Amino acid sequence: MWTLTVLCILAVGNWQAAGKDNSTQMLYTKLWIDSSIIANMSALLPSFRVDGRFNVDGLKRTTTCEKEVRTCTCEAGHYWGDDICRADQSCCGQTCTFKKTPSPTCISRKRVLITGSLSLDVRYQHCLKNKTTEEYKKCHDLLIAKMKKTFSTLSGFETVVIKQFRIGSIIADLEMTVVSDIDPKILTQKSTELINELEARLILETTGVVQIEMPKLPVEYHATTSITCKTTKDLGTRPEWELKSGKRISINNGTVSTITTGTKLTTVTLDEVDELWKGEYKCFYTEKTDNITIVHKAKATLDVCLLPEIVTSTEADFPRCIQKLGTLIVKAKCNIPPHSSGENYNVTWTGDPFDTSVSEDRREYTADYVIDCRYPNNNTAPVNCTFTNRCKQGKGGQVDMKIINVGDAFCSAEGEWKDTKANYEAYLPCHKADGVRRRKCLFRKAGKPGEWGQETSYCVHPKLTRVLTEALRSDNGRGGLEKNAAEIFSEFKNITEKQSIEGFPNLNTSIEVLNTMTTKLKILRDTSVEDFLSSSSHLLNETLNSTWAVKPSDGSNSLADRYLSSVEGLIHKANITRSSTKNNLDVRKCEEEKCTNTVFNVSIVLQTTGHGIVKAAGFQHLNKYLPNNKTDAPNSIVVSTTVEKEKEKARVRITFPLIKKRRRNTPMKCVAWDNATQEWSSNGCDWEGPASEGVCICRHLSSFAILMSQYPVEIKGLTEITYVALSISIVSLVIHIVIEILVWGDVTKTCTLYLRHTAHINISLCLLIANCCFLASSEPKGMSSIWCQISTMIKHFFYLSMFFWMLCMSTTLLHQAVFMFHKVSKKVYLRYSFVLGYACPLLIVSITFIANQRGADGVYFSSDSCWLVYAGVMQGSIFTFIIPMGIIVFVNSFSMLVVIMKLLDHHQNTPGSQEKEKMAAKCVVRSVILLTPIFGLTWFMGFAILVLDLADGMYVQIIHYAFNLMNGFQGLFILLTTCLGDKMTREALLKRFRKEAPGSVSNSSSRVDSTTLK
């Protein structure tokens, strides 16, 4: 039998090279010979020399064909080539049958294909001309000659051709074939010789130097598989891997892919391989010098058997039996997503469907079942669809038969919502979004129809879904984690900036992106920082206020808690090179020993040293979104501080601008966010007090804020003390007035005594009315604004009148002591007293009322206390009470000093007729001396409680207790000192009750009790 044999001949000579090295040329010849001599052919054709010019050596048989049937077989170490294999799958082995003549020849598996480009200077500009011109031919032939001169000395050199010339300077695209192993070092050496001669730059890419070994294909879904690249020489560079699956992606170590590298071998191992890892794999080694780049590559395609994600349903979600004796046809559906539809699945169904079908795009598989409405208990059994791939792997999906039987409660169709069985949820796809909308049909009462509940949306913007998916996959090894992070944050920023992300599902997905990247990243490069900060800032926009308020239905951490934890973690990992201020997020850094950062006007001073880089962040609006109790409300933005080097001890001084002005007597609380308890904690943080109301000192690092109590400090028992003391005071004042009326005629014999008792009655009357009003307004929260205003005016007037009546006593007595021979009638005294005691206070109150915006709340009076306003030093309506009171106390003190000196001076020379007046004057002096300190001290304490803040500490509460006790018992004190403690009044009262003789009263009125004068 005759056989066609193709011989590969290696010819060595100097016929295409001018250098000292021998050139090589691969020659192919076809011989028809008897099959019996094929085995001895190499011996029959040894090496020989032709015309003394070149040697013929290294004869190898590549292909053997049978003449009759045109069936050809590749010899060992040879194959048909990729082009022939792609054209006819039967030729991917060693043997192939061809219909055409001549048949192709097998090529060496050691064949090396070299492609590349040569960048030339202007000397070769003629190569860009038309191919038919002489200039082009000369330029082309010159370059070919120089390339052959250099590369033909490579062992196994076959051809080199210039595919085209193109612009980009002058670039020649070349292709070279070598049919034996190449030493990469020699290829680099020859390339260097060429570029030195041409003064050019060269880029080469070899195929065949690196061999790739694939697993048995196709690979099972979620199997572990390996791809290996080998070289015969140590290439001296680190190998790289790429996957072409739609786009080129670098392969790195990750959760799925693991790369191991040896001297002449590199392997990528894939765990739980799926559709993401299906595609063309390329491993390559890159050698670079100044003007030469050589890439040694190998590539092959990995085929993976797929298994789909199955979405099951029925054509009508809740098929309904209309008649009990009827039947119902239910169409069960199993759908698969587009990325899983490339597999040719064999789909089987359980039960006994009377018909099955599949859509043209092979994404929807259906089966029809007959339901007998007579047997409702048999209608609930689910059916299953099973998808089997090429690797005989299967995956099932369960289709629930939710039949509305005759008599079952259900919700009738409403708009796009169809009939739904009671106690079940209906689902609808989202409009132009991923996810579903849900609505439950509620069962209310047996025999009654169901009732529709509220619709709940789980719709997420498709771009957000894609970003979250990419975030979850970012560390699987497809692409570098840092590069993936940069792409994710860039896309995330564009979405949050340009798309509407309102609604809980969108915001929840956005925060999940941040949380996922926090978990996966070890460091956030500066290329991603700005996009990360911008997207995080956009999430705090006020347009999303209502969305932040929604609480997760699954009981998970609040959105704000997860957001704060994620952003704080990413800022800690971020390589922040400069400060960055966004609309809602401000980030600063410093490295000084005593580090100070200012974010959104919040000053953060780290007072301990040795922490390295310190980063501070301020979050607008986040204070409104973090969970909080009902007693304290955030009164500042949230700030966060992280450090490069954690230490056991840290001391941070934070100065917050307050969002709302702190109300008097309302404490503030410096807090840090506790991730474990998901609430604010004051542990380790102290408030500096009302004098520095926005300053916090914390002894650890965290996220900080300042809270303001919803309620002022409550002094325990103060209300009860006030009620009891004022009640006693009121009763005492009433008793005092009654006693004064009863003994009036007996105790007002002289002008001075008349002065004294008139003043006592008016002082008691003013204090009685003021105390009654004080008692009535002791609960300001329960009073309307107008009644609170009226109460303040009444108290203002009568407390002032009380002091002015005391001034009447002291000034009149001073007049009598200084001008002893100038007598004033009772009528003149009364006029003077009533003008001074009532007209002056009325004038002060009226002017104060009008000057303070006609008694406006917060200007003239405070609705929190129903009393005058203190707004600072010499600011506020309270000083229209304090200043007159202080002047009166001073005048009284001065007057009594003068009177006492006069009394002592004239003690020896007093006529008998003036003895009674002198004794009466002493009684008045005693009253003024006793009442002035009591009233003055009480109301100076009252001023102190206006100036001092209850948040200052316990000592302010003690002053409150003292003021309320002294103020409450003023009436009792008046009764004891000016009435029951006065001998003259006691005797007059006893006389009244015993009906004694008139003379005894007269005698008693001229005596003074020495014990009370002390």
Side-chain angles (χ1 to χ4, degrees):
M1 181 176 66
W2 290 86
T3 302
L4 174 65
T5 301
V6 181
L7 296 179
C8 175
I9 303 171
L10 174 63
V12 181
N14 57 7
W15 51 278
Q16 61 179 353
K20 62 181 180 179
D21 293 335
N22 287 323
S23 297
T24 63
Q25 177 70 55
M26 297 304 302
L27 303 175
Y28 292 88
T29 183
K30 295 181 180 180
L31 299 176
W32 286 102
I33 60 175
D34 190 275
S35 58
S36 62
I37 67 169
I38 291 177
N40 299 320
M41 189 169 57
S42 297
L44 294 174
L45 294 174
S47 299
F48 57 92
R49 186 172 181 82
V50 179
D51 296 333
R53 294 175 56 211
F54 57 88
N55 293 329
V56 177
D57 198 359
L59 280 78
K60 295 180 182 178
R61 187 171 71 250
T62 65
T63 314
T64 303
C65 299
E66 297 178 10
K67 187 174 183 180
E68 292 81 3
V69 295
R70 309 300 298 163
T71 299
C72 300
T73 303
C74 292
E75 296 297 324
H78 296 77
Y79 72 109
W80 288 111
D82 294 335
D83 293 339
I84 297 174
C85 181
R86 283 192 291 267
D88 186 349
Q89 293 291 320
S90 64
C91 295
C92 293
Q94 292 295 104
T95 302
C96 185
T97 301
F98 300 97
K99 297 178 181 180
K100 295 182 180 181
T101 304
S103 58
T105 61
C106 298
I107 60 177
S108 173
R109 289 191 181 276
K110 296 181 179 180
R111 178 188 182 94
V112 177
L113 178 65
I114 303 173
T115 59
S117 61
L118 192 63
S119 298
L120 306 163
D121 59 26
V122 294
R123 290 178 296 168
Y124 299 91
Q125 59 182 318
H126 294 304
C127 290
L128 296 174
K129 290 190 175 184
N130 192 290
K131 292 182 179 181
T132 60
T133 63
E134 287 297 324
E135 291 90 340
Y136 173 83
K137 291 179 181 178
K138 288 181 180 180
C139 183
H140 175 272
D141 294 344
L142 177 63
L143 285 174
I144 287 292
K146 290 184 177 182
M147 286 190 283
K148 283 186 176 181
K149 172 186 172 182
T150 302
F151 291 123
S152 64
T153 59
L154 294 171
S155 177
F157 172 79
E158 187 174 68
T159 60
V160 60
V161 296
I162 296 176
K163 306 291 288 184
Q164 66 173 357
F165 291 96
R166 54 190 171 89
I167 298 175
S169 71
I170 301 168
I171 299 175
D173 293 328
L174 60 93
E175 184 178 287
M176 182 166 53
T177 306
V178 180
V179 292
S180 65
D181 291 335
I182 289 181
D183 188 335
K185 293 183 179 178
I186 296 177
L187 179 61
T188 302
Q189 177 187 339
K190 296 300 180 182
S191 299
T192 303
E193 293 176 6
L194 179 64
I195 66 166
N196 288 338
E197 182 178 357
L198 297 176
E199 297 180 4
R201 293 189 306 274
L202 181 63
I203 299 174
L204 294 179
E205 191 174 84
T206 72
T207 302
V209 173
V210 180
Q211 303 294 327
I212 189 168
E213 295 181 359
M214 300 296 289
K216 182 180 178 181
L217 302 178
V219 175
E220 290 186 350
Y221 187 78
H222 277 186
T224 297
T225 189
S226 296
I227 305 170
T228 301
C229 277
K230 297 180 179 179
T231 64
T232 57
K233 304 285 185 181
D234 182 6
L235 299 179
T237 61
R238 187 173 183 80
E240 298 177 67
W241 286 87
E242 275 187 358
L243 168 62
K244 184 180 179 182
S245 179
K247 63 178 182 179
R248 292 195 178 276
I249 305 168
S250 66
I251 301 176
N252 301 269
N253 286 318
T255 57
V256 175
S257 61
T258 303
I259 298 175
T260 55
T261 301
T263 305
K264 302 178 184 178
L265 177 142
T266 177
T267 301
V268 58
T269 303
L270 305 175
D271 293 325
E272 296 191 358
V273 65
D274 57 18
E275 65 274 0
L276 294 176
W277 299 92
K278 184 177 180 181
E280 182 185 83
Y281 284 77
K282 182 174 85 170
C283 64
F284 57 95
Y285 295 77
T286 303
E287 298 181 60
K288 275 191 176 183
T289 60
D290 291 340
N291 292 313
I292 301 175
T293 300
I294 302 177
V295 179
H296 305 287
K297 68 172 185 177
K299 58 184 178 180
T301 300
L302 180 68
D303 188 14
V304 179
C305 293
L306 304 181
L307 283 177
E309 298 172 8
I310 305 172
V311 179
T312 63
S313 63
T314 53
E315 191 169 58
D317 290 338
F318 296 89
R320 182 183 171 198
C321 284
I322 305 297
Q323 297 178 357
K324 193 167 185 179
L325 299 178
T327 58
L328 182 67
I329 296 177
V330 177
K331 186 181 288 294
K333 297 195 294 184
C334 287
N335 296 343
I336 61 175
H339 61 77
S340 299
S341 59
E343 184 79 19
N344 187 17
Y345 298 105
N346 178 32
V347 180
T348 58
W349 295 84
T350 59
D352 187 19
F354 72 85
D355 189 25
T356 60
S357 63
V358 59
S359 63
E360 290 185 6
D361 59 4
R362 305 188 68 82
R363 290 178 53 193
E364 182 177 276
Y365 298 80
T366 61
D368 295 335
Y369 291 85
V370 178
I371 302 297
D372 192 339
C373 294
R374 292 177 299 171
Y375 307 104
N377 293 333
N378 297 334
N379 295 340
T380 57
V383 297
N384 296 282
C385 57
T386 302
F387 287 71
T388 305
N389 62 20
R390 292 170 290 160
C391 298
K392 306 304 179 184
Q393 294 174 287
K395 185 175 182 180
Q398 179 176 293
V399 183
D400 294 322
M401 295 291 189
K402 296 172 285 189
I403 308 298
I404 302 176
N405 294 295
V406 177
D408 285 348
F410 69 95
C411 294
S412 299
E414 184 178 287
E416 56 185 335
W417 298 94
K418 306 304 180 184
D419 291 347
T420 301
K421 195 171 183 178
N423 283 334
Y424 283 83
E425 274 190 322
Y427 297 84
L428 284 177
C430 297
H431 300 299
K432 298 181 180 180
D434 295 333
V436 295
R437 294 174 291 149
R438 297 181 182 180
R439 195 178 184 190
K440 189 168 185 178
C441 178
L442 305 173
F443 179 79
R444 293 303 186 190
K445 189 177 181 181
K448 297 291 183 180
E451 183 178 321
W452 282 111
Q454 293 294 320
E455 177 182 331
T456 304
S457 173
Y458 294 86
C459 301
V460 181
H461 196 288
K463 291 184 178 180
L464 272 178
T465 304
R466 185 173 65 249
V467 169
L468 178 58
T469 302
E470 291 301 320
L472 293 168
R473 297 171 176 172
S474 60
D475 63 341
N476 63 3
R478 282 170 47 100
L481 176 57
E482 294 174 4
K483 182 181 178 182
N484 290 342
E487 293 175 354
I488 288 167
F489 282 121
S490 177
E491 179 66 15
F492 190 40
K493 184 202 78 168
N494 292 333
I495 294 171
T496 57
E497 185 176 30
K498 299 175 182 178
Q499 305 293 334
S500 172
I501 55 173
E502 293 182 6
F504 178 83
N506 282 326
L507 187 57
N508 183 58
T509 302
S510 300
I511 294 173
E512 191 58 33
V513 171
L514 296 174
N515 187 49
T516 301
M517 297 310 297
T518 304
T519 303
K520 295 183 180 295
L521 285 170
K522 293 182 179 179
I523 185 171
L524 182 62
R525 298 294 181 189
D526 52 359
T527 54
S528 306
V529 168
E530 285 300 310
D531 289 337
F532 150 63
L533 294 177
S534 294
S535 55
S536 300
S537 173
H538 294 149
L539 294 181
L540 293 176
N541 287 340
E542 287 188 286
T543 55
L544 299 176
N545 278 352
S546 58
T547 303
W548 280 101
V550 179
K551 295 182 179 179
S553 58
D554 58 0
S556 60
N557 293 8
S558 71
L559 294 177
D561 174 50
R562 288 161 49 210
Y563 171 89
L564 178 60
S565 177
S566 301
V567 175
E568 189 178 40
L570 284 170
I571 289 174
H572 180 65
K573 297 177 180 181
N575 181 23
I576 296 176
T577 56
R578 65 182 187 276
S579 299
S580 179
T581 302
K582 308 300 179 185
N583 288 341
N584 301 306
L585 183 59
D586 191 2
V587 179
R588 306 278 165 168
K589 59 166 282 190
C590 65
E591 301 180 52
E592 296 84 7
E593 284 299 313
K594 187 176 181 182
C595 186
T596 300
N597 285 310
T598 302
V599 290
F600 291 131
N601 297 322
V602 178
S603 173
I604 306 168
V605 181
L606 186 60
Q607 297 178 327
T608 48
T609 59
H611 294 282
I613 298 175
V614 180
K615 302 171 191 172
F619 303 86
Q620 296 279 25
H621 311 303
L622 186 61
N623 54 296
K624 297 182 290 188
Y625 309 143
L626 286 166
N628 190 46
N629 57 42
K630 295 181 180 179
T631 58
D632 300 306
N635 200 26
S636 71
I637 67 168
V638 177
V639 297
S640 171
T641 300
T642 60
V643 295
E644 181 184 17
K645 302 173 184 177
E646 295 284 352
K647 287 193 169 186
E648 291 184 5
K649 294 183 179 180
R651 180 180 172 86
V652 189
R653 179 184 175 89
I654 311 165
T655 304
F656 291 99
L658 301 182
I659 296 174
K660 295 181 180 178
K661 185 178 179 181
R662 187 184 70 89
R663 298 185 300 274
R664 273 185 49 76
N665 302 324
T666 302
M668 307 288 279
K669 186 185 294 184
C670 293
V671 292
W673 184 254
D674 190 332
N675 290 316
T677 60
Q678 299 177 43
E679 61 183 16
W680 292 111
S681 170
S682 59
N683 292 336
C685 287
D686 298 313
W687 181 46
E688 286 289 87
S692 304
E693 60 185 10
V695 179
C696 294
I697 302 294
C698 292
R699 294 176 296 281
H700 58 82
L701 298 176
S702 182
S703 297
F704 305 104
I706 193 166
L707 307 183
M708 183 170 70
S709 176
Q710 299 281 52
Y711 312 100
V713 174
E714 184 176 344
I715 304 176
K716 294 182 179 180
L718 186 65
T719 302
E720 290 76 8
I721 290 173
T722 303
Y723 285 156
V724 171
L726 284 175
S727 299
I728 295 173
S729 180
I730 290 169
V731 172
S732 300
L733 290 169
V734 171
I735 294 173
H736 176 249
I737 293 171
V738 171
I739 290 174
E740 287 285 354
I741 293 171
L742 291 174
V743 301
W744 181 259
D746 296 325
V747 295
T748 56
K749 300 296 185 180
T750 68
C751 183
T752 303
L753 289 174
Y754 184 82
L755 157 67
R756 174 195 176 196
H757 288 279
T758 300
H760 284 176
I761 287 181
N762 282 278
I763 288 172
S764 297
L765 185 62
C766 290
L767 186 59
L768 176 63
I769 296 172
N771 282 351
C772 288
C773 192
F774 192 97
L775 192 61
S777 61
S778 58
E779 293 291 338
K781 293 180 181 178
M783 298 181 66
S784 65
S785 179
I786 186 64
W787 282 112
C788 190
Q789 183 190 60
I790 293 171
S791 172
T792 302
M793 292 178 65
I794 293 173
K795 288 186 286 185
H796 190 190
F797 173 75
F798 282 105
Y799 280 132
L800 275 178
S801 294
M802 179 184 69
F803 279 98
F804 273 96
W805 273 103
M806 288 178 61
L807 181 62
C808 290
M809 283 199 307
S810 64
T811 53
T812 305
L813 191 60
L814 178 64
H815 177 268
Q816 291 182 358
V818 175
F819 306 101
M820 297 183 62
F821 300 102
H822 184 270
K823 301 297 181 181
V824 179
S825 66
K826 292 182 180 179
K827 187 175 181 181
V828 173
Y829 166 71
L830 287 177
R831 287 176 182 174
Y832 165 75
S833 297
F834 275 95
V835 170
L836 187 61
Y838 291 115
C840 288
L842 181 61
L843 184 63
I844 292 172
V845 171
S846 300
I847 294 173
T848 304
F849 182 86
I850 295 170
N852 287 278
Q853 299 180 16
R854 297 186 178 274
D857 186 4
V859 182
Y860 172 68
F861 76 99
S862 169
S863 58
D864 292 334
S865 61
C866 288
W867 184 229
L868 301 174
V869 172
Y870 171 76
V873 179
M874 300 306 292
Q875 294 180 7
S877 58
I878 186 62
F879 287 98
T880 62
F881 175 76
I882 295 297
I883 293 175
M885 181 196 74
I887 293 172
I888 291 171
V889 170
F890 175 76
V891 171
N892 283 359
S893 302
F894 175 76
S895 299
M896 291 307 98
L897 182 62
V898 173
V899 171
I900 292 172
M901 290 176 64
K902 287 288 184 179
L903 289 175
L904 293 175
D905 183 48
H906 297 287
H907 180 70
Q908 301 297 330
N909 303 316
T910 304
S913 60
Q914 294 183 353
E915 184 64 28
K916 291 184 179 181
E917 287 294 331
K918 183 178 177 181
M919 298 304 293
K922 289 182 178 179
C923 292
V924 175
V925 170
R926 183 188 61 189
S927 297
V928 174
I929 289 174
L930 289 174
L931 294 181
T932 297
I934 294 297
F935 289 166
L937 180 60
T938 298
W939 285 103
F940 275 120
M941 282 188 179
F943 176 67
I945 66 174
L946 287 176
V947 174
L948 298 176
D949 199 299
L950 282 171
D952 267 324
M954 181 57 69
Y955 80 94
V956 183
Q957 295 191 28
I958 294 172
I959 294 175
H960 272 262
Y961 283 119
F963 167 74
N964 279 269
L965 284 170
M966 293 181 70
N967 184 52
F969 287 109
Q970 280 179 344
L972 179 61
F973 190 78
I974 290 174
L975 177 64
L976 293 175
T977 57
T978 65
C979 186
L980 299 180
D982 179 54
K983 186 176 182 181
M984 187 184 301
T985 305
R986 287 201 308 271
E987 290 179 354
L989 185 60
L990 288 173
K991 176 186 174 184
R992 183 79 177 177
F993 285 116
R994 295 175 182 173
K995 298 181 188 257
E996 294 182 355
S1000 62
V1001 177
S1002 176
N1003 292 333
S1004 65
S1005 65
S1006 64
R1007 295 193 299 270
V1008 180
D1009 187 354
S1010 61
T1011 59
T1012 34
L1013 283 173
K1014 291 181 181 178

